[in-house]
Amino acid sequence: MMMESRDAAVDYMMPLGLHHIFAEGHHYGPAPWFSNDKIRADWTSVYYHKADAGGIGFDRTRSGSDAVDQYHEPLSSTFNNLSSCPEMYLLWFHHVPWSYRLKSGNDLWTELCMRYDRGVNKVRSFQKDWDRMDGAIDSERFSAVQSKLRTQCRDAQIWKDACLLYFQQFSKREIPFEIERPVHDLQSLKELTKSRDYN
């Protein structure tokens, strides 16, 4: 479980290099909608994802902020080129059209949906795996980990729902039918993630 936990968290929180979209004042929940004119722009979520009708991601290429040139060659050129940039960093370095085709064959929107869903499902599988350990581990440790896994499962669902429902407003695309529909609505998630008690 531990060996797979990082990739699960990346899938449900920051797929394809989508980073820094936390709620204001804490990093427990998502708030891709967060912006505030009274603070530095780079302390807000919208600064990092740059979602709009055309696509999503921060253009750090030589024609954008030129952050790619902080890296030595050949990395800077690899990151600068949309087709050679590793998909795990794609939205960190590029503003990518919703229709862009990834190696999976999915367009960007569909791939984002699939990755968020994959993260949720992986966390659910961790719960099932752990529940099989009942009786093989002392009850105090078993219960403590089980509680943390329940929290992670709740959080993964919130991340998936908040991000897909928010970014869908820009992509104007349907969530693929083969994945589970969001179980929350966007407004209630906005209220939930405002709370500093969320954790």
Side-chain angles (χ1 to χ4, degrees):
M1 285 169 43
M2 292 299 293
M3 294 297 287
E4 297 177 352
S5 65
R6 178 207 173 267
D7 289 341
V10 168
D11 278 344
Y12 73 74
M13 293 175 72
M14 52 194 114
L16 301 172
L18 192 59
H19 279 264
H20 293 65
I21 55 175
F22 300 106
E24 180 181 18
H26 64 81
H27 287 178
Y28 295 110
W33 49 81
F34 172 62
S35 66
N36 185 333
D37 294 340
K38 297 180 175 78
I39 62 174
R40 290 173 34 175
D42 62 348
W43 290 358
T44 67
S45 299
V46 297
Y47 173 86
Y48 284 96
H49 64 67
K50 305 281 194 224
D52 58 26
I56 187 171
F58 196 116
D59 184 359
R60 291 181 169 87
T61 66
R62 293 179 184 121
S63 59
S65 74
D66 195 29
V68 294
D69 280 335
Q70 295 179 53
Y71 299 88
H72 291 288
E73 288 294 353
L75 280 179
S76 60
S77 291
T78 298
F79 293 152
N80 189 66
N81 186 317
L82 181 60
S83 62
S84 63
C85 184
E87 288 184 352
M88 66 188 297
Y89 305 128
L90 192 65
L91 302 180
W92 183 255
F93 287 109
H94 296 271
H95 190 269
V96 182
W98 297 111
S99 59
Y100 180 78
R101 291 276 165 202
L102 284 90
K103 292 174 186 164
S104 66
N106 293 327
D107 62 38
L108 176 62
W109 170 248
T110 301
E111 187 67 18
L112 273 176
C113 292
M114 297 296 193
R115 292 199 184 207
Y116 279 113
D117 193 61
R118 184 172 72 190
V120 171
N121 288 327
K122 180 50 82 174
V123 170
R124 288 176 180 161
S125 77
F126 294 159
Q127 283 188 305
K128 293 173 187 173
D129 291 344
W130 187 254
D131 286 347
R132 289 185 187 95
M133 301 302 296
D134 192 12
I137 296 171
D138 65 273
S139 61
E140 183 179 350
R141 188 179 328 245
F142 177 80
S143 295
V145 172
Q146 192 177 50
S147 176
K148 291 179 189 306
L149 288 171
R150 276 196 299 270
T151 299
Q152 186 184 26
C153 193
R154 178 202 70 177
D155 291 351
Q157 186 72 55
I158 288 169
W159 272 92
K160 172 191 167 185
D161 291 0
C163 293
L164 291 186
L165 291 170
Y166 178 75
F167 293 134
Q168 187 179 36
Q169 298 174 114
F170 299 98
S171 75
K172 306 292 188 205
R173 293 167 179 253
E174 292 297 324
I175 293 171
F177 291 113
E178 55 268 36
I179 71 169
E180 181 183 66
R181 310 270 66 106
V183 298
H184 302 92
D185 66 86
L186 187 56
Q187 191 54 45
S188 67
L189 289 169
K190 286 181 177 183
E191 293 302 317
L192 172 67
T193 57
K194 274 188 209 172
S195 169
R196 290 179 187 263
D197 296 329
Y198 174 82
N199 60 24

